[in-house]
Amino acid sequence: MFTLVPANFFKPEAARDALADVAVLNRDDEVKYKEIPAYSAVLIYSVSGGADALPEIFYILQELPSCNEYNKLLCSWKDGEIFLAIAQGKSLLIANSYKAADFTTAQYYIFLAMKSLQLNPEVTTIRFRHPLSAENEMALYRYFKAVECL
């Protein structure tokens, strides 16, 4: 679970409340935060069971500014969840994750996010942080200008 808060509105003492406003937290969930300077935001996330791993969206947001095009779309599909971030220039438009047990469902959420932002896939390069199967890569080539795996 995670949320992004503009850096000027972030208060460390209110991090748990900010995350609880958008997600259900367990009592033993530890709430942490990490600055995302490229987008003047703070990522607030939860960890449970003593885990100390950053959420996948953190790595996406770290790599997103290095995408060369004006429309930036970076995804990661793993463990039954699609993580995606979309930016135009230096403006972050969306950073979210969705449950997606199969790649068709992952594609649905990608296209839904793009449609909500009125972005045209035909002029957009989609990037994934992890390799895709040849079949999934070809499925995306039907809609996007290019498909890249980092």
Side-chain angles (χ1 to χ4, degrees):
M1 291 177 274
F2 65 87
T3 190
L4 281 173
V5 175
N8 358 345
F9 295 113
F10 177 70
K11 294 180 180 144
E13 65 277 4
R16 186 173 189 86
D17 291 338
L19 187 56
D21 284 346
V22 297
V24 177
L25 294 173
N26 296 321
R27 278 191 183 159
D28 61 337
D29 287 344
E30 186 178 351
V31 174
K32 297 185 173 195
Y33 56 89
K34 192 87 169 156
E35 289 185 37
I36 310 291
Y39 297 109
S40 300
V42 177
L43 175 68
I44 304 172
Y45 60 99
S46 70
V47 293
S48 57
D52 201 24
L54 288 161
E56 181 66 17
I57 199 72
F58 172 79
Y59 301 104
I60 289 173
L61 292 170
Q62 290 296 106
E63 292 178 25
L64 190 62
S66 67
C67 298
N68 294 329
E69 279 117 16
Y70 180 70
N71 287 343
K72 302 169 188 333
L73 172 55
L74 183 56
C75 303
S76 178
W77 181 56
K78 59 187 250 181
D79 301 328
E81 199 165 2
I82 181 81
F83 296 84
L84 63 88
I86 301 173
Q88 281 188 320
K90 294 182 179 186
S91 298
L92 180 64
L93 303 177
I94 190 172
N96 212 341
S97 68
Y98 308 92
K99 296 290 182 198
D102 55 67
F103 196 70
T104 300
T105 304
Q107 287 181 95
Y108 167 81
Y109 285 116
I110 292 166
F111 290 121
L112 181 66
M114 293 196 67
K115 183 178 179 180
S116 73
L117 298 170
Q118 299 180 342
L119 297 177
N120 184 353
E122 293 175 356
V123 296
T124 303
T125 297
I126 186 170
R127 290 174 179 79
F128 276 80
R129 274 187 25 87
H130 305 288
L132 294 173
S133 71
E135 181 182 340
N136 290 344
E137 197 170 324
M138 288 308 296
L140 291 170
Y141 266 115
R142 287 185 261 177
Y143 303 102
F144 288 91
K145 176 177 87 170
V147 179
E148 297 177 359
C149 295
L150 303 177

